[in-house]
């Protein structure tokens, strides 16, 4: 039996951590009650993101992230259309048993996929404290809000946790977050004094930053594609749904932000702009070395690739503005 499960997940992402929490609970209930789970956050990058990853646990799982063809990666759940990079990995996936590896690009969230598969196919009963987590991940990851104002609000525990995890850069804190979410649920975690205080501070910081975001949009502010270049502001977070709230007429937003480990280009379609989406954003990002979904995607580059990041953003602007 496994004594250590190495659990790889999409870092700094609500769906990624929700997926890790759900799978942790499933594994403890159905596979090995006394297992020690070690969550490991992963970020997308050019080439093979698992190249430097050592699979040295007794068992291994990956959720909400690209497909890893190594036999030791026994468990895998994902819902990104761009999960197979290179595309030839899809053939590898199709040739192996699918009793512990699952892929559904139509699923709104990976957490929802995990909940569905583990309960309907693997015999797990979702604990009461996690019953609301898959649906919340569906709403947040697929932007199933009624408006940008609703998306930006912090009225639910899920939205509060999404703000916190999106800004967290501490692996130890992420591990504690996943464990508490798995064992106690969203409401308990969001109400914990330390996290609640952090969320209040992050919300206040986000509100103060709104004016600067408008200024940073500059010449793009009145266009169909709005760009937020935050590369000269270390630690500044991508605006996310706030971008749609500030520029409701824009069809797309692109943000460039510098984190502790990488530069992230985030691209999204505004579902409340009143116009149909004309492009597959995930495919555009995949061509630039990233990936994602039809409505949202991203490209992760090295901290020393500022010029490439801006050139990539300019290319994405040209593609999104076309047609």
């Amino acid at each position: 039996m496994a004594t250590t499960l190495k659990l790889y997940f999409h870092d700094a992402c609500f769906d990624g951590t929700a997926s890790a929490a759900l799978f942790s609970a499933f594994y403890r209930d159905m596979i090995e009650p006394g297992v020690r789970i070690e969550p490991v956050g992963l970020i997308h990058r050019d080439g093979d993101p698992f190249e430097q990853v050592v699979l040295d646990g007794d068992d291994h799982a990956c959720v909400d992230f690209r497909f890893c063809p190594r036999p030791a990666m026994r468990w895998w759940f994902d819902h990104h259309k761009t999960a197979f990079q290179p595309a030839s990995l899809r053939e590898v996936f199709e040739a192996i048993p699918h009793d512990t590896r699952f892929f559904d690009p139509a699923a709104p969230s990976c957490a929802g996929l995990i909940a569905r598969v583990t309960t309907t196919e693997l015999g797990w009963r979702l604990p009461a404290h996690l019953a609301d987590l898959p649906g919340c991940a569906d709403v947040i990851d697929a932007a199933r809000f009624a408006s940008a104002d609703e998306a930006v609000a912090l009225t639910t525990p899920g939205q509060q946790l999404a703000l916190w995890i999106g800004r967290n850069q501490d692996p130890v804190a992420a591990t504690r977050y996943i464990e508490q979410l798995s064992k106690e649920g969203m409401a308990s975690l969001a109400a914990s004094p330390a996290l609640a205080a952090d969320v209040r501070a992050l919300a206040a910081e986000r509100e103060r930053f709104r004016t600067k975001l408008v200024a940073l949009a500059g010449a793009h502010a009145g266009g169909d594609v709005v760009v937020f270049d935050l590369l000269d502001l270390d630690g500044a977070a991508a605006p996310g749904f706030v971008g749609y709230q500030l520029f409701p007429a824009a069809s797309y937003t692109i943000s460039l932000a510098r984190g502790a480990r990488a530069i992230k280009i985030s691209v999204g379609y505004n579902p409340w702009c009143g116009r149909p989406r004309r492009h597959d954003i995930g495919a555009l990002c995949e061509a630039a070395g990233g990936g994602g979904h039809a409505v949202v995607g991203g490209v992760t580059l090295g901290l020393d690739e500022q010029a490439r990041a801006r050139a990539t953003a300019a290319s994405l602007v040209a593609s999104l503005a076309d047609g």
Side-chain angles (χ1 to χ4, degrees):
M1 291 189 178
T3 57
T4 300
L5 169 70
K6 298 289 283 288
L7 176 54
Y8 301 91
F9 66 96
H10 189 188
D11 200 15
C13 168
F14 179 77
D15 189 28
T17 49
S19 298
L22 281 166
F23 187 79
S24 295
F26 159 77
Y27 199 94
R28 288 192 180 102
D29 286 350
M30 302 295 291
I31 308 299
E32 179 55 53
V35 69
R36 182 166 63 91
I37 298 177
E38 296 183 9
V40 180
L42 296 174
I43 59 173
H44 293 286
R45 62 176 181 82
D46 285 342
D48 180 6
F50 296 96
E51 185 178 10
Q52 304 299 323
V53 173
V54 179
L55 301 183
D56 56 355
D58 298 300
D59 201 0
H60 305 87
C62 182
V63 296
D64 198 40
F65 201 75
R66 293 185 198 173
F67 176 68
C68 175
R70 298 190 215 171
M73 191 69 81
R74 188 164 73 99
W75 298 88
W76 179 66
F77 293 81
D78 193 41
H79 70 132
H80 294 88
K81 291 176 63 177
T82 56
F84 303 100
Q85 296 187 39
S88 58
L89 286 180
R90 181 65 184 262
E91 297 177 9
V92 177
F93 170 71
E94 296 297 348
I96 60 179
H98 291 174
D99 53 348
T100 59
R101 301 174 182 90
F102 304 90
F103 175 63
D104 182 1
S109 73
C110 186
L113 170 63
I114 291 171
R116 169 163 51 87
V117 168
T118 54
T119 57
T120 63
E121 299 184 33
L122 303 180
W124 187 44
R125 183 173 181 176
L126 193 67
H129 69 277
L130 294 175
D132 54 352
L133 184 55
C136 182
D138 282 352
V139 171
I140 291 175
D141 212 48
R144 291 182 169 179
F145 296 99
S147 66
D149 288 344
E150 182 181 312
V152 170
L154 296 172
T155 54
T156 69
Q159 289 173 294
Q160 294 160 20
L161 297 182
L163 177 64
W164 186 89
I165 197 61
R167 295 300 307 273
N168 176 67
Q169 306 209 22
D170 179 359
V172 175
T175 295
R176 290 196 301 265
Y177 170 101
I178 290 169
E179 182 174 12
Q180 188 173 350
L181 180 58
S182 178
K183 294 181 177 180
E184 300 179 20
M186 289 190 294
S188 174
L189 178 55
S192 61
L195 192 140
D198 285 348
V199 168
R200 287 193 297 270
L202 289 170
E205 177 187 338
R206 188 178 68 174
E207 192 61 30
R208 290 192 298 270
F209 202 58
R210 291 170 66 91
T211 302
K212 184 165 287 188
L213 284 173
V214 173
L216 286 169
H220 294 281
D224 194 38
V225 184
V226 175
V227 180
F228 303 99
D229 187 337
L230 311 174
L231 292 181
D232 294 331
L233 303 172
D234 284 348
F241 295 130
V242 172
Y244 306 141
Q245 189 183 45
L246 292 173
F247 298 97
S251 295
Y252 305 97
T253 62
I254 298 175
S255 62
L256 299 84
R258 181 188 302 276
R261 293 190 290 166
I263 289 174
K264 178 66 180 293
I265 305 171
S266 302
V267 189
Y269 163 69
N270 178 3
W272 308 288
C273 69
R275 290 183 297 280
R277 177 178 53 82
R278 306 184 305 273
H279 302 278
D280 184 328
I281 292 175
L284 291 177
C285 291
E286 184 177 21
H293 305 286
V295 298
V296 65
V299 180
T300 303
L301 302 176
L303 289 172
D304 60 345
E305 295 186 282
Q306 182 167 300
R308 180 184 170 190
R310 287 183 167 135
T312 299
S315 177
L316 288 166
V317 170
S319 296
L320 292 170
D322 181 24

